Amino acid sequence: MERPLKILILDDEPIVCKRLQPALEKLGYEVESFTDSVEATRRIQETSYDIVITDLKMKEIDGMRFLEEVKSRYPKTEVIVITGFATMETAKQSFRKGVFDFIAKPFKLGELQEVVNRAAAKIRGES
Amino acid sequence: MVFRVVQNFLNRFKKPKIVSIDIAQIFEHFQKLLQNNQRVMELIADLGEKSGGEYVFDRKYLVDMVEELHSLLLHMVQELNFISSNKYLALYTSLDRIITQLETELRGRLSFGQETPIAVALDKAPLDRPELIGGKANTLAIIYCNLKLPIPPNGLVITTRAYQLFLEANALEDRIYALLESWVNGERDEHSTSRQIRYHILAGIIPKEISKEIEQWVDKRDLPKRWAVRSSAYGENGELSFAGIHETMLNVPPKEIPYAYKRVLASLYSPEALVYRRKMNMLSEEAAMAVIIQEMVHSKVSGVIHTVDVSGENPDSLVIYASWGLGRTVVEGRDVVDRFIVEKVAPYNILKKEIATKTISIKPAGISGEKEEMLTEENRELPTLSEKDIVQLVKWALTLERYFKYPQEIEWAIDQNGEYVILQSRRLVIPREKEFSQQNITTLCDQYPILFKDVGMVVHSGVGSGVVAKISSDSDMENFPEGGVLVTKFTAPWLARIVPKASAIIAERGSAAGHLATIAREFRVPTLVGVEGATERLQNGQVITVDAKSRIIYSGRVKELLSYELVAEPFPFEDTPEFRLLRRLYRRIAPLHLIDPSSPDFTPEGCRSVHDMVRFIHEKAVEELINLPKLLQKSSGVHVYTLESEIPLGLKILDLGGGIDPRVIETGRLRPQDIRSVPLKALWSGLSAPGVWSTEPVSVDFTGMMSSLTKTPSEASAITSPTQFNLAVISQTYMNLHLHLGYHFNMIDTRVEPDSYHNYIYFRFVGGVTDNARRSRRAKLISTILSRYHFKVDLKEDLVVARVLHLGEEDMIRRLQMLGRLIGFTRQLDIQLQSDEDITNFIKAFYEFEYCH
């Protein structure tokens, strides 16, 4: 059997992590979630992830910097951005390169699961 | 925004100037008002949809939502005041009041205000404020009020606000804090910390306002001489299990209740509770204790149910432990007890029956407290429960597990008269890894045949399993099996009463915002709508599993998925603070209280929710418009047509755009075939159908019956009085119709678009010339017919208000045609409805007539 893909979730609203983690675990992924971007940044220095799901607007570090950090360390990691509806356009403009997909909050769990599965298929196809 | 506020302020001092009103501008404002009205209704529907668990949202979403509602309502208030020349300035105050309430909810309510009660009756306790009444009381209130299961009688909750008062009155807060700090710093151990704090609490004086509440409660109920005093800490029974950590005092005489109250408060600081809270990282948070006082149940038998076998030996079964007398035998493990293992699916086979050789029974002691008593020889070997008892307990246990979505640990009792009662229910903690060791749940589910996949809309997320029960009539409802899957064509509101019994709901039509959706969420029943073909493809009695999370319906009972959801999912989404906040907001936004425009509450002051406000504004805006045609005759630019037809209604038509054939402007004549407005066209086709209004012969008995009923010779005299206009304000997809027929009055407000999301019909019927009884008969008749067409109907004497939401275009059109016929037929019926039997006959005949159309 293939090894389960590793996912990191970063969103400073605990509810988002709390709901995404079990929903993705149910699909067979190995998931870690963070509400604190400093902690998440520390974590990606220790270990790599196949998929990173991050919010854009957060208190400490903004999602943009976190994303750059991930991409520069692990160019193969697929990043999915989840962001408030209002910031969706800015998100699209500033991340033309490198981001796998964007999802506007609020979103359906099924939508996110679908995007993650697509990213996973891409990774599996490449490896 | 600031500019608007200033403008409003200035507007308040302007005098109404009716003459100089620009008619074109009025219509512009009216249209904007309609658009804003529509947007508010969409937001309400959206909020409803978000509460079903399918979406991930955060606080920000809720904050933005309230902000947008605020701005839309403000515009609507301005628009109405423009149209009405500032008749409704009081609405600004109502708006402030309602928005302030929403903002208070958003800020959170853990800090109690002066108005927060010190004590509440358990059967009237608010179900969404566990921080006030504590976890155990919250659970009991849900069990009793929502799930309708019996709990001990005469329960009173002394709230956490009382606990705060107690601390304040005895200046304990700082002292407790200092003691806890020295424990955390390692200066003293938990035993001495606990002893000190409890000593202070027990030595404290109960403030008068608290003791008065207790005295009054107990004095009023002089019958029970003994009481149970139980802990209900904030957080207890919630996400964390405080099983057995806090104190319960049984058989307490009234005089000793105050002391028992303090004992229970003090147990918040027992060494076990302190260690537990520290381990759970909760020490820094504010602990608070509510206390339940309820009548003592003198149980003959009592025990505990685990809805999952913790040992893992018996999957899909539950375990009942039982002993003679009061519950401590089982809970505290004072003696061996009987153990029954029962299957979780009907007919609830008993897999194992282990009857222990019991030695003791715990009984209430004479004056107060409890005592152990040796059992008689005969009772030692006797089973404590009969099969009938077991089935009853199992059914309740499954209801509780279905609702709370965790494995439950339920304390129950059977009293001396053989009555069952639930003492409490809390989360049963099961080691997660025991059940699921890296198994892939998706692979496990794949073994089951899939009946439906990726169909329908999620109304309430979750997984449920049971036998299919298709419902299309009242008699089906009577036979609905406990834990069955409700399968239906429409989500009609009259289905509401079986929702609590259902393990899942599947409907072919309906929406996430309808009335049934609200009820399904109230009872946390997994629900899918829009599952086309469900009533045909699913058979009564067939066992299925509905996964409303992944929108899959399996054949059979997918045990693995059910137990995964129960055990491996860390929390039910309904219990998160965000969802609770959403629901609290929803309750101040969505309910409609202003149903009857003639009621004295139909005022700006009477608006209690956002929905009330838009309803009021819309109603009044239309009212203003009705008085306009007279003014309009004189103005240019806007034309009001009179519909030329054989039906003598004198219907005036005002087109907001796209409602009539553009060529009408040239000819100046409007005939039925020129109508382009979808709703008006539908209604008119019903109203003008053969046999409805005209006297031409048709081949159905119905018109025969009608003519025998309506014997009045001259119809024309009762049609329209010249002072009242029959007016339809229309656009291509919208219609607002006011019809005065004789002495009664019909109003229809509706929108019919290809996308069902925006569609609704609001119908109102009132009045009549005859006595109250006959008028009420007609109203009853109309409401019976409408509810059969899946309207949600409110009936008050001779007022009928009916609503239907979010059906597809075709379904809406059919209903409008039906309304047309119904209006035609019922226009004079009240004179003739002499007995209740006439109602039944009429309804029967109407259905037969409808069947032909």
Side-chain angles (χ1 to χ4, degrees):
Chain A
M1 210 180 119
E2 288 176 292
R3 76 169 174 89
L5 294 183
K6 278 171 69 183
I7 300 181
L8 179 144
I9 305 170
L10 170 60
D11 194 311
D12 64 349
E13 292 247 22
I15 180 73
V16 178
C17 296
K18 242 178 148 182
R19 297 212 57 213
L20 290 191
Q21 180 154 359
L24 293 172
E25 281 174 349
K26 196 175 168 186
L27 297 180
Y29 297 103
E30 222 176 273
V31 187
E32 279 176 62
S33 60
F34 296 86
T35 50
D36 178 347
S37 51
V38 180
E39 241 176 77
T41 311
R42 206 178 298 141
R43 185 77 182 127
I44 57 159
Q45 279 155 10
E46 294 162 5
T47 179
S48 71
Y49 294 86
D50 300 290
I51 299 170
V52 164
I53 301 170
T54 178
D55 189 8
L56 267 197
K57 256 184 136 182
M58 284 170 292
K59 277 164 225 143
E60 306 284 330
I61 305 184
D62 71 78
M64 182 100 78
R65 244 200 294 149
F66 180 72
L67 179 124
E68 281 163 5
E69 180 77 23
V70 171
K71 272 293 184 188
S72 72
R73 273 178 182 274
Y74 316 102
K76 279 194 169 172
T77 297
E78 297 297 350
V79 179
I80 298 164
V81 169
I82 45 173
T83 187
F85 189 72
T87 47
M88 197 60 186
E89 271 315 303
T90 6
K92 280 184 183 166
Q93 282 162 14
S94 29
F95 290 106
R96 227 166 268 154
K97 281 175 197 167
V99 169
F100 183 78
D101 210 344
F102 302 89
I103 294 182
K105 278 197 233 175
F107 53 85
K108 288 183 185 180
L109 265 182
E111 282 168 7
L112 183 105
Q113 286 171 325
E114 196 258 330
V115 173
V116 169
N117 281 341
R118 271 199 289 119
K122 187 180 167 198
I123 294 166
R124 298 260 192 232
E126 278 174 4
S127 60
Chain B
M1 193 59 101
V2 175
F3 171 71
R4 283 228 169 74
V5 173
V6 174
Q7 202 178 31
N8 292 332
F9 187 73
L10 292 175
N11 279 347
R12 292 178 199 204
F13 298 99
K14 274 191 190 164
K15 280 190 179 161
K17 284 191 256 176
I18 295 169
V19 191
S20 67
I21 281 174
D22 181 337
I23 304 287
Q25 269 198 21
I26 286 189
F27 282 105
E28 215 172 281
H29 277 81
F30 182 72
Q31 290 230 52
K32 274 193 197 147
L33 187 144
L34 283 184
Q35 281 161 13
N36 289 333
N37 181 79
Q38 185 68 19
R39 179 71 190 141
V40 171
M41 295 316 289
E42 276 171 29
L43 286 179
I44 293 177
D46 201 49
L47 207 55
E49 218 174 71
K50 297 293 181 292
S51 60
E54 193 187 13
Y55 285 85
V56 176
F57 62 88
D58 49 22
R59 257 185 73 86
K60 176 94 173 42
Y61 162 74
L62 298 174
V63 173
D64 291 349
M65 169 72 78
V66 169
E67 215 167 87
E68 189 176 353
L69 283 174
H70 189 179
S71 134
L72 286 166
L73 283 177
L74 186 60
H75 282 123
M76 287 182 73
V77 172
Q78 287 163 349
E79 281 141 10
L80 174 63
N81 278 308
F82 184 91
I83 296 169
S84 67
S85 309
N86 291 335
K87 257 192 228 163
Y88 300 102
L89 294 174
L91 278 170
Y92 285 101
T93 319
S94 317
L95 179 60
D96 280 350
R97 173 167 43 78
I98 288 166
I99 295 296
T100 307
Q101 285 168 350
L102 291 174
E103 282 169 350
T104 311
E105 294 285 7
L106 280 175
R107 274 199 304 273
R109 299 191 299 187
L110 260 172
S111 57
F112 301 131
Q114 286 302 316
E115 78 290 353
T116 318
I118 287 170
V120 282
L122 192 50
D123 56 6
K124 293 191 178 65
L127 300 183
D128 58 347
R129 297 200 62 186
E131 76 282 2
L132 179 66
I133 62 173
K136 194 184 291 173
N138 195 57
T139 306
L140 282 173
I142 289 171
I143 292 174
Y144 182 77
C145 302
N146 235 349
L147 305 179
K148 312 278 180 232
L149 301 182
I151 60 171
N154 288 326
L156 177 76
V157 190
I158 320 285
T159 65
T160 49
R161 158 124 172 91
Y163 167 77
Q164 279 187 348
L165 277 180
F166 178 87
L167 294 190
E168 278 165 30
N170 294 286
L172 283 175
E173 264 170 308
D174 291 343
R175 237 180 277 181
I176 291 174
Y177 184 78
L179 283 162
L180 286 176
E181 205 174 38
S182 65
W183 172 47
V184 174
N185 293 337
E187 289 157 24
R188 54 171 77 233
D189 68 6
E190 66 262 23
H191 294 284
S192 107
T193 313
S194 165
R195 208 167 36 240
Q196 288 281 344
I197 297 177
R198 285 191 294 168
Y199 171 80
H200 285 307
I201 291 177
L202 291 175
I205 289 163
I206 301 176
K208 261 229 163 66
E209 53 258 70
I210 302 174
S211 50
K212 216 170 70 196
E213 293 274 358
I214 299 175
E215 269 166 40
Q216 279 175 357
W217 186 261
V218 176
D219 285 351
K220 249 194 276 171
R221 290 156 184 79
D222 47 330
L223 253 184
K225 298 280 189 271
R226 295 293 180 268
W227 297 78
V229 182
R230 298 174 186 272
S231 67
S232 182
Y234 177 39
E236 189 174 19
N237 289 20
E239 279 190 49
L240 300 160
S241 171
F242 287 81
I245 286 180
H246 301 129
E247 187 129 32
T248 286
M249 312 262 305
L250 298 179
N251 201 33
V252 180
K255 266 192 181 162
E256 289 174 26
I257 291 177
Y259 178 69
Y261 172 68
K262 286 197 288 186
R263 279 277 298 267
V264 176
L265 288 192
S267 73
L268 190 59
Y269 297 95
S270 71
E272 297 82 8
L274 288 179
V275 171
Y276 186 82
R277 282 208 297 276
R278 192 178 181 179
K279 203 174 96 194
M280 290 295 168
N281 231 346
M282 285 177 63
L283 204 61
S284 55
E285 284 170 43
E286 223 170 297
M289 180 68 90
V291 177
I292 307 167
I293 298 172
Q294 57 192 173
E295 202 176 305
M296 180 70 193
V297 176
H298 294 280
S299 42
K300 192 171 76 185
V301 185
S302 59
V304 169
I305 302 173
H306 287 172
T307 62
V308 165
D309 180 8
V310 186
S311 74
E313 284 167 28
N314 302 287
D316 223 15
S317 307
L318 52 74
V319 189
I320 306 176
Y321 302 91
S323 70
W324 299 114
L326 299 180
R328 287 204 202 265
T329 318
V330 178
V331 179
E332 293 173 9
R334 290 204 199 169
D335 191 9
V336 287
V337 297
D338 291 348
R339 182 166 173 263
F340 305 88
I341 296 177
V342 192
E343 278 185 342
K344 281 167 91 170
V345 278
Y348 315 115
N349 291 325
I350 301 168
L351 298 179
K352 274 184 213 157
K353 226 185 226 184
E354 298 167 3
I355 308 304
T357 308
K358 303 161 283 281
T359 53
I360 58 156
S361 151
I362 296 175
K363 294 248 164 98
I367 300 165
S368 75
E370 303 146 66
K371 61 172 187 205
E372 272 183 24
E373 223 177 65
M374 295 307 280
L375 285 173
T376 59
E377 202 63 41
E378 178 194 23
N379 276 347
R380 288 185 179 195
E381 308 284 343
L382 213 62
T384 39
L385 293 175
S386 70
E387 291 200 1
K388 185 179 141 262
D389 295 333
I390 289 173
V391 169
Q392 180 63 79
L393 291 172
V394 168
K395 280 187 180 171
W396 287 355
L398 293 177
T399 303
L400 291 170
E401 186 184 69
R402 223 166 38 223
Y403 181 87
F404 290 109
K405 299 187 171 179
Y406 274 127
Q408 293 293 299
E409 179 170 47
I410 302 156
E411 289 180 28
W412 53 269
I414 303 176
D415 72 9
Q416 302 295 336
N417 304 320
E419 302 286 342
Y420 306 85
V421 54
I422 289 172
L423 302 173
Q424 64 167 299
S425 187
R426 62 176 157 251
R427 181 182 181 181
L428 173 65
V429 183
I430 298 171
R432 222 179 138 180
E433 58 281 353
K434 205 169 211 162
E435 292 282 321
F436 294 95
S437 46
Q438 295 298 311
Q439 280 171 320
N440 189 336
I441 184 65
T442 325
T443 330
L444 286 170
C445 293
D446 283 348
Q447 312 162 39
Y448 294 84
I450 290 175
L451 300 173
F452 290 89
K453 193 176 178 170
D454 295 333
V455 286
M457 263 182 314
V458 182
V459 164
H460 195 76
S461 185
V463 177
S465 177
V467 291
V468 170
K470 290 194 257 189
I471 303 290
S472 54
S473 70
D474 279 344
S475 58
D476 293 343
M477 301 238 286
E478 301 306 323
N479 301 321
F480 188 82
E482 186 76 45
V485 178
L486 165 59
V487 177
T488 177
K489 252 200 157 62
F490 294 92
T491 57
W494 49 265
L495 292 167
R497 72 184 160 92
I498 50 175
V499 170
K501 285 166 89 180
S503 63
I505 300 171
I506 302 170
E508 293 197 3
R509 313 281 168 82
S511 78
H515 179 66
L516 196 77
T518 311
I519 309 270
R521 288 188 192 117
E522 189 77 19
F523 293 97
R524 315 186 359 159
V525 181
T527 302
L528 284 176
V529 299
V531 184
E532 285 289 340
T535 53
E536 265 175 44
R537 284 176 56 194
L538 299 173
Q539 299 314 318
N540 275 332
Q542 176 186 8
V543 175
I544 59 170
T545 301
V546 181
D547 182 350
K549 278 184 171 172
S550 315
R551 294 190 299 147
I552 300 177
I553 300 170
Y554 297 95
S555 172
R557 184 174 162 85
V558 186
K559 291 198 283 283
E560 296 83 353
L561 182 62
L562 291 165
S563 100
Y564 183 92
E565 286 300 320
L566 213 51
V567 180
E569 284 284 326
F571 63 96
F573 71 87
E574 298 98 324
D575 293 339
T576 59
E578 286 80 4
F579 273 92
R580 281 218 298 264
L581 176 59
L582 171 66
R583 285 189 60 176
R584 287 207 299 265
L585 291 171
Y586 195 68
R587 276 189 209 139
R588 293 189 182 276
I589 291 173
L592 181 63
H593 312 96
L594 295 186
I595 287 169
D596 175 7
S598 63
S599 118
D601 291 336
F602 204 88
T603 56
E605 294 74 29
C607 294
R608 285 156 60 196
S609 66
V610 168
H611 199 162
D612 286 341
M613 274 203 79
V614 293
R615 170 86 181 78
F616 179 86
I617 293 171
H618 183 258
E619 179 80 24
K620 292 300 174 190
V622 171
E623 208 171 85
E624 289 295 319
L625 239 60
I626 289 179
N627 300 324
L628 274 181
K630 278 177 260 171
L631 272 174
L632 286 171
Q633 318 286 16
K634 299 172 209 156
S635 79
S636 58
V638 183
H639 195 87
V640 177
Y641 296 92
T642 305
L643 186 67
E644 295 177 17
S645 154
E646 285 176 7
I647 298 169
L649 277 178
L651 181 65
K652 308 266 186 222
I653 292 182
L654 194 138
D655 180 28
L656 299 172
I660 55 175
D661 191 320
R663 281 172 297 187
V664 167
I665 300 168
E666 292 156 29
T667 59
R669 295 181 60 193
L670 178 65
R671 293 151 308 162
Q673 62 266 38
D674 301 321
I675 299 169
R676 293 289 173 272
S677 167
V678 177
L680 180 58
K681 211 169 152 179
L683 187 96
W684 194 261
S685 84
L687 200 61
S688 59
V692 174
W693 201 292
S694 61
T695 47
E696 51 183 287
V698 281
S699 59
V700 180
D701 288 347
F702 182 64
T703 35
M705 184 188 130
M706 279 306 296
S707 59
S708 75
L709 276 178
T710 50
K711 278 170 269 171
T712 333
S714 151
E715 266 193 1
S717 63
I719 298 296
T720 8
S721 59
T723 51
Q724 289 163 325
F725 279 97
N726 285 326
L727 176 71
V729 179
I730 57 171
S731 75
Q732 205 208 327
T733 54
Y734 173 79
M735 172 180 76
N736 184 284
L737 174 76
H738 281 246
L739 277 186
H740 292 267
L741 297 174
Y743 292 91
H744 68 260
F745 171 63
N746 296 282
M747 199 280 264
I748 299 178
D749 192 74
T750 175
R751 183 176 294 271
V752 181
E753 293 182 6
D755 179 2
S756 62
Y757 189 67
H758 303 291
N759 292 349
Y760 67 88
I761 302 172
Y762 175 91
F763 171 77
R764 200 167 75 222
F765 175 96
V766 71
V769 71
T770 48
D771 59 289
N772 247 333
R774 290 189 201 186
R775 266 157 44 191
S776 303
R777 264 183 214 126
R778 185 175 53 185
K780 184 149 183 280
L781 181 152
I782 291 173
S783 75
T784 311
I785 290 174
L786 291 180
S787 59
R788 275 293 156 223
Y789 284 87
H790 315 102
F791 281 80
K792 173 170 172 16
V793 187
D794 289 293
L795 177 66
K796 215 180 89 189
E797 290 170 11
D798 64 337
L799 169 79
V800 182
V801 176
R803 281 168 289 165
V804 68
L805 291 173
H806 307 300
L807 292 181
E809 196 176 20
E810 278 298 302
D811 285 321
M812 284 294 180
I813 288 176
R814 239 174 276 139
R815 277 164 183 74
L816 284 165
Q817 290 168 339
M818 180 276 296
L819 280 179
R821 292 189 283 270
L822 189 64
I823 290 171
F825 282 137
T826 52
R827 65 193 190 276
Q828 279 203 319
L829 209 55
D830 57 331
I831 305 171
Q832 304 303 332
L833 288 175
Q834 301 192 349
S835 71
D836 287 347
E837 206 174 72
D838 287 338
I839 300 182
T840 326
N841 290 337
F842 181 92
I843 291 174
K844 208 169 144 244
F846 185 77
Y847 286 150
E848 279 164 18
F849 184 84
E850 283 292 296
Y851 189 70
C852 300
H853 280 77

